[in-house]
């Protein structure tokens, strides 16, 4: 493990943890059912990023994409806005928010800590592995699987995902990315089997979510990910079913929208036309059957473990705050 990074002075930009703020939505009398892969912690994060630090082209593209959405329709029922492009289910948004919360408690900068180089990247990797496992366990429930895909597509637009993409273990990063590239066509094949590409489908945001996955695939190609033309395969579903894909109004996405691909029958290979089970099994083998978990959730560590990585050798989370967290309160991070 690399030596601990020295603490910066009082002018440091590292985010500090604030005291817990009680969540009005938590019923403290009710025992919470917790997924074995997700630590019992919830957070809120206040981000303060400057556009000066972002790529100018990305900023301009984001402005164009944002212009497609009508702010006045935010959080209103989709049924009241049949022409809206950016629609997401409550379940998908809730999953995405949970991902953002779980990301915050895995970032050492939020606690003025240094664990080792690329720790945050591997922490994000742990989260996305959880998503793969969630998707697999939801087999037979297409609505739950679609919510997971919605959350994944949204999460892949966040800057945190680039910490994973940039990890030094390129082989593992490539394996995880290509497994996701298999997961989404598998989802689309499931929708096709259930006749959910029809004009009056229950799925109202096919074009938006397809666009999010294609954007991610194209945006990280330069990092050496072997996508095997999965962006074209995903786009082929939209072409086949006359789905308008959103968010691709930039020249770097033109290749995906132009290419054609012959899609397999949705029922091929025992309803696994894209080899999802094989892809997941291969990834598990790479990880010695140890995918996901919450080992990199800093709030799940012991006080001694946090002290060891802290800049000042003190636990960045007071004991009283940990008590509140375990009881379901919210820890606010940021400033």
């Amino acid at each position: 493990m690399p030596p601990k990074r020295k603490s910066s002075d009082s002018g440091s930009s590292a985010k500090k943890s604030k005291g817990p703020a009680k969540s009005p939505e938590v019923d403290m009398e009710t025992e919470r059912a917790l997924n074995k892969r997700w630590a019992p912690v919830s957070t809120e994060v206040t981000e303060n990023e400057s556009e000066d630090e972002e790529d100018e082209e990305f900023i301009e593209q984001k402005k164009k994409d944002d212009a497609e959405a009508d702010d006045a329709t935010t959080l209103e029922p989709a049924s009241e806005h049949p022409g809206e492009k950016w629609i997401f289910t409550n379940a998908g948004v809730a999953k995405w928010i949970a991902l953002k919360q779980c990301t915050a408690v895995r970032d050492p900068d939020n606690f003025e800590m240094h664990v080792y180089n690329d720790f945050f990247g591997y922490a994000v990797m742990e989260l996305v592995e959880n998503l793969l496992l969630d998707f697999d366990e939801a087999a037979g429930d297409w609505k739950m699987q679609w919510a997971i895909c919605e959350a994944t597509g949204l999460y892949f637009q966040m800057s945190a995902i680039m910490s994973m993409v940039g990890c030094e273990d390129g082989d593992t990063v490539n394996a995880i990315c290509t497994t996701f590239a298999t997961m989404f066509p598998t989802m689309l094949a499931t929708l096709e089997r259930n006749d959910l590409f029809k004009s009056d489908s229950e799925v109202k945001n096919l074009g938006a979510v397809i666009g999010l996955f294609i954007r991610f695939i194209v945006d990280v190609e330069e990092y050496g990910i072997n996508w095997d033309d999965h962006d074209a395969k995903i786009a082929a579903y939209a072409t086949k079913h006359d789905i308008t894909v959103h968010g691709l109004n930039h020249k770097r996405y033109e290749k995906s929208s132009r290419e054609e691909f012959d899609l397999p029958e949705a029922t091929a290979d025992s309803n696994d036309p894209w080899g999802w089970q094989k892809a997941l099994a291969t990834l598990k083998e790479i990880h010695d059957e140890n995918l996901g978990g919450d080992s990199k959730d800093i709030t799940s560590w012991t006080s001694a473990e946090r002290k060891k990585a802290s800049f000042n050798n003190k636990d960045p989370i007071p004991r009283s705050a940990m008590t509140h967290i375990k009881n379901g309160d919210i820890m606010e991070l940021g400033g």
Side-chain angles (χ1 to χ4, degrees):
M1 182 180 297
K4 185 167 59 178
R5 188 173 57 201
K6 292 184 179 180
S7 173
S8 55
D9 57 23
S10 58
S12 170
S13 61
K15 303 178 182 66
K16 298 182 179 180
S17 61
K18 299 180 179 179
K22 188 173 180 61
S23 170
E25 299 180 359
V26 176
D27 180 0
M28 302 308 296
E29 301 299 323
T30 303
E31 181 177 357
R32 295 177 301 147
L34 300 171
N35 185 297
K36 62 185 178 182
R37 286 189 294 275
W38 306 88
V41 176
S42 59
T43 64
E44 284 185 349
V45 179
T46 303
E47 295 187 4
N48 185 22
E49 295 181 344
S50 169
E51 286 190 344
D52 293 339
E53 299 175 357
E54 299 186 54
D55 179 76
E56 183 176 345
E57 183 182 24
F58 174 80
I59 295 171
E60 291 303 314
Q61 179 59 36
K62 188 175 186 301
K63 289 179 180 178
K64 292 179 182 179
D65 294 339
D66 289 346
E68 294 186 7
D70 181 0
D71 290 339
T73 65
T74 301
L75 299 182
E76 293 185 3
S79 59
E80 297 179 6
H81 302 277
E84 180 58 66
K85 299 175 181 178
W86 297 103
I87 295 172
F88 297 92
T89 65
N90 288 334
V93 171
K95 188 76 170 177
W96 173 52
I97 291 173
L99 281 168
K100 294 198 295 180
Q101 293 170 341
C102 290
T103 300
V105 294
R106 284 166 169 77
D107 187 351
D109 286 349
N110 286 333
F111 301 95
E112 296 193 335
M113 296 167 56
H114 176 68
V115 186
Y116 55 80
N117 293 338
D118 279 348
F119 172 85
F120 184 52
Y122 288 111
V124 173
M125 187 182 296
E126 179 179 78
L127 279 178
V128 299
E129 289 169 1
N130 285 342
L131 284 172
L132 291 168
L133 295 172
D134 287 349
F135 181 84
D136 189 56
E137 290 181 2
D141 184 351
W142 71 261
K143 290 184 178 180
M144 178 59 72
Q145 287 190 319
W146 184 248
I148 292 168
C149 287
E150 287 178 306
T152 301
L154 289 168
Y155 188 63
F156 280 0
Q157 309 308 306
M158 297 178 63
S159 59
I161 198 67
M162 299 311 297
S163 296
M164 182 197 79
V165 174
C167 281
E168 63 179 356
D169 186 356
D171 290 341
T172 299
V173 172
N174 188 81
I176 289 176
C177 287
T178 53
T179 304
F180 271 105
T182 303
M183 181 189 84
F184 192 57
T186 298
M187 178 78 257
L188 296 178
T190 297
L191 297 181
E192 193 172 61
R193 279 197 307 276
N194 287 277
D195 196 23
L196 290 167
F197 278 99
K198 57 187 179 181
S199 58
D200 60 345
S201 172
E202 290 183 62
V203 184
K204 306 299 183 184
N205 56 352
L206 285 163
V209 180
I210 287 174
L212 291 176
F213 272 86
I214 291 176
R215 283 172 66 101
F216 175 69
I217 290 173
V218 174
D219 287 346
V220 301
E221 272 184 329
E222 62 188 81
Y223 290 85
I225 306 299
N226 180 20
W227 290 115
D228 192 25
D229 293 326
H230 268 77
D231 53 331
K233 297 171 185 177
I234 293 170
Y237 276 99
T239 301
K240 178 180 179 180
H241 296 283
D242 197 25
I243 301 296
T244 300
V245 181
H246 306 309
L248 303 183
N249 53 350
H250 190 278
K251 60 183 180 181
R252 67 172 173 265
Y253 304 121
E254 290 178 355
K255 174 176 173 289
S256 298
S257 60
R258 288 199 311 264
E259 290 190 2
E260 296 182 1
F261 192 88
D262 292 330
L263 297 173
E265 291 294 327
T267 56
D269 296 325
S270 301
N271 292 342
D272 189 11
W274 294 103
W276 160 250
Q277 291 300 326
K278 180 179 179 180
L280 184 62
T282 299
L283 187 61
K284 287 181 178 180
E285 184 177 348
I286 292 174
H287 284 262
D288 295 325
E289 303 298 322
N290 187 28
L291 278 184
D294 62 9
S295 67
K296 293 178 176 59
D297 179 342
I298 293 169
T299 62
S300 72
W301 295 4
T302 65
S303 178
E305 289 172 326
R306 286 191 293 270
K307 288 179 181 178
K308 186 176 180 180
S310 173
F311 291 155
N312 60 10
N313 296 318
K314 296 181 180 179
D315 188 347
I317 307 179
R319 184 178 300 176
S320 59
M322 284 304 304
T323 299
H324 282 287
I325 290 172
K326 291 176 181 178
N327 287 336
D329 290 353
I330 295 174
M331 169 175 280
E332 294 183 4
L333 298 174

